[in-house]
Amino acid sequence: MTILTLGNDLLRQKAEPVKDIDDGSRAIAGEMIEAVHAGTGVGLAGPQVGLMKRIFVVHVGGDVPRVFINPSITATSAETAKYEEGCLSIPGAWADVIRAQAVQIQGWNEKGRPFTMDADGILARVILHEYDHLEGVLFIDRLSVPKRNRLLAKMERQVLARPGK
Ligand code: NI
């Protein structure tokens, strides 16, 4: 799977519901989990690999890999937390992002079974980050404008400093 990076329009589009959870979606979920393991990420959403479907996978340390198909966020805590985030689609960029500390999410797993789960801490953060991808939202959108501009300028300098540029 090729991971699309910032500047690709697909990352800015809203993903469509998965119509049938079948062998095809199971295979895709498996490949997405492999892609997460191959990279340095903790999650991956369909649009990041050009698949405009409402599916994402999450694998945080100490937990099992989890697949979310057609998810909906059913509750978020009023309490927020700040933590440094990165994204496989925005290589080299890291910034503190404020998000709800806990989340309740409903969806279907790769076997087509519905589930509801409550998550907090890092797992909640990764779920919210990946869910954003289904809406065409990136973590840099959740920074203040000056912070985002500073981060983008820094990334541009890094690109310009690479050999061969
Ligand atoms: Ni991401």
Side-chain angles (χ1 to χ4, degrees), residues 48 87 129 133:
Q48 291 183 273
C87 179
H129 175 120
H133 276 298

Side-chain angles (χ1 to χ4, degrees), residues 11 43-45 48 85-90 99 126 129-130 132-133 137-139:
L11 292 173
L44 187 68
Q48 291 183 273
E85 290 188 24
C87 179
L88 289 172
S89 293
I90 316 177
R99 294 190 189 269
V126 179
H129 175 120
E130 298 310 329
D132 270 355
H133 276 298
V137 174
L138 301 173
F139 84 90

Side-chain angles (χ1 to χ4, degrees), residues 82-86 94-97 122 125 139:
K82 189 161 93 171
Y83 197 82
E84 191 173 63
E85 290 188 24
W94 299 89
D96 282 339
V97 181
I122 300 296
R125 174 165 298 271
F139 84 90

